[in-house]
Amino acid sequence: MAAYRGKDDIQTVAAIGSGVIGGGWVAAFLGGGRAVRLYDPAPDAGPKTRDHVARAWPQMAALGLARADDDWSGRLSFHDRLDDAVEGADFVQESTPERIPIKRALFEELDRLVPADILVGSSTSSLPISELQAGLATAGRFVLGHPFNPVHLIPLVEVGGGEATDAAAIDTAQAFYVALGKEPVRLNREIFGHIANRLTSAMFREAVRLVAEDYATVGDIDKAIRFGPALKWAIQGQFTTFHTSGGAGGFADFLPKFAPGIVQRWETMADPPLADPTLQAKLVHQIEEAAAGQSVEEIARRQDMLLMEMLALFAQEGS
């Protein structure tokens, strides 16, 4: 196994891509005291990313993820050439579009440009690392580092690797993300969509079907989640929720009591025609009705405010 620059050695990060996820990573890296060298050929990448970090900084400072008096601007530089961005970097985080040809071409360039002891983390939300690293000379240092949006607030990062990834590379990346205040989860085997996106996709699948077949509206389905299971999920997740629902015997008592009903529900589930334009129009119309005139920006601001309050509470509890 190769030796990689560890969490304490990573002082400069090359961030590839300045979209919503890439910009969130830039804020998180800067909040953790690192310097960031951003590569994105888009002409508005610099101003857009500075605005993103400026908006995120007070939120991170309130949660202890950044210092309010830290002048981060001097640690952020912008580059329109990939080789310039990775020069002097101790870690690379790529957040490019979710298309195999784009990411594969980038991986090939990074394989050639970046010293072999520097890890490359990919923000891919679904793609297996094995498909992106195959045949590369330094395939062992390419890892999965998939965050959740908003990246500067949500602690989750899914960490894993492909068939050729060194275990030491995954361990090192995980330690680095922990040092940034993240809560990594380990993907032991590759599967398309990783962990959390598969879970949310399963939930969304049934939610769409309930709307498609007129069992319920978008608004009521969201209420059913918000005021029901989601309250517990934020605290302890699904398995532990069922563990506490089994009485004194926990999950061992829950399964014989409730598994038959769960299996029956599974048997009634089916794929909705989500690609159907008529169904898409129905979903859009109903979410706009449920929004009751609020803009996306207004909803997102409320989301972030409540997220901060929840995260602050969890921090007090040591969760």
Side-chain angles (χ1 to χ4, degrees):
M1 288 188 180
Y4 303 101
R5 297 187 195 183
K7 62 181 179 63
D8 296 328
D9 301 315
I10 299 172
Q11 297 302 315
T12 300
V13 178
I16 313 302
S18 66
V20 173
I21 298 301
W25 268 128
V26 170
F29 294 138
L30 291 170
R34 274 66 177 184
V36 178
R37 300 173 64 83
L38 175 66
Y39 167 69
D40 193 317
D44 63 341
K48 181 177 69 174
T49 304
R50 285 195 182 277
D51 288 346
H52 189 129
V53 177
R55 290 194 304 271
W57 203 263
Q59 297 177 331
M60 293 193 298
L63 293 171
L65 299 172
R67 295 196 339 264
D69 61 351
D70 181 4
D71 182 8
W72 52 267
S73 60
R75 298 200 308 276
L76 176 58
S77 60
F78 303 97
H79 307 268
D80 55 13
R81 289 168 51 97
L82 180 61
D83 55 352
D84 289 340
V86 300
E87 180 70 29
D90 304 305
F91 188 91
V92 178
Q93 183 76 38
E94 75 85 12
S95 306
T96 55
E98 196 74 354
R99 294 197 287 276
I100 288 179
I102 292 175
K103 289 189 184 291
R104 174 69 192 182
L106 174 63
F107 275 37
E108 289 174 354
E109 285 195 82
L110 294 173
D111 182 51
R112 175 175 55 85
L113 291 172
V114 179
D117 65 334
I118 295 173
L119 297 179
V120 178
S122 175
S123 299
T124 176
S125 61
S126 294
L127 302 175
I129 297 298
S130 291
E131 293 189 33
L132 306 175
Q133 71 183 175
L136 300 182
T138 62
R141 48 82 172 267
F142 289 84
V143 299
L144 172 69
H146 172 237
F148 262 63
N149 188 50
V151 178
H152 69 284
L153 292 181
I154 299 290
L156 177 65
V157 181
E158 295 176 321
V159 181
E163 294 174 2
T165 303
D166 292 337
I170 303 173
D171 291 340
T172 303
Q174 182 163 334
F176 174 54
Y177 293 132
V178 168
L180 296 173
K182 296 298 185 182
E183 290 285 348
V185 295
R186 192 76 165 249
L187 185 64
N188 294 326
R189 294 173 57 202
E190 284 186 301
I191 188 169
F192 188 87
H194 318 317
I195 304 168
N197 273 343
R198 290 184 65 86
L199 295 173
T200 56
S201 294
M203 170 68 74
F204 188 58
R205 171 180 182 252
E206 186 59 20
V208 170
R209 181 172 179 238
L210 292 174
V211 176
E213 300 182 15
D214 294 319
Y215 290 105
T217 65
V218 162
D220 279 343
I221 289 170
D222 273 3
K223 284 182 181 178
I225 296 170
R226 280 186 63 207
F227 298 113
L231 291 172
K232 290 184 179 180
W233 289 340
I235 300 167
Q236 58 194 13
Q238 184 63 77
F239 281 107
T240 306
T241 291
F242 281 170
H243 187 52
T244 61
S245 298
F251 202 48
D253 282 355
F254 173 90
L255 287 172
K257 292 178 184 176
F258 297 105
I262 292 172
V263 171
Q264 282 187 288
R265 289 177 215 139
W266 285 347
E267 290 171 349
T268 67
M269 294 178 181
D271 293 333
L274 185 57
D276 180 0
T278 301
L279 175 55
Q280 292 183 8
K282 181 178 184 178
L283 295 171
V284 170
H285 174 70
Q286 289 196 16
I287 189 62
E288 289 175 349
E289 278 190 332
Q294 296 178 89
S295 68
V296 173
E297 292 76 13
E298 289 171 326
I299 295 171
R301 279 197 298 271
R302 180 175 180 272
Q303 164 199 279
D304 289 358
M305 177 190 70
L306 294 176
L307 270 174
M308 288 179 61
E309 293 181 7
M310 290 170 57
L311 292 167
L313 177 62
F314 292 159
Q316 292 173 15
E317 294 293 318
S319 303

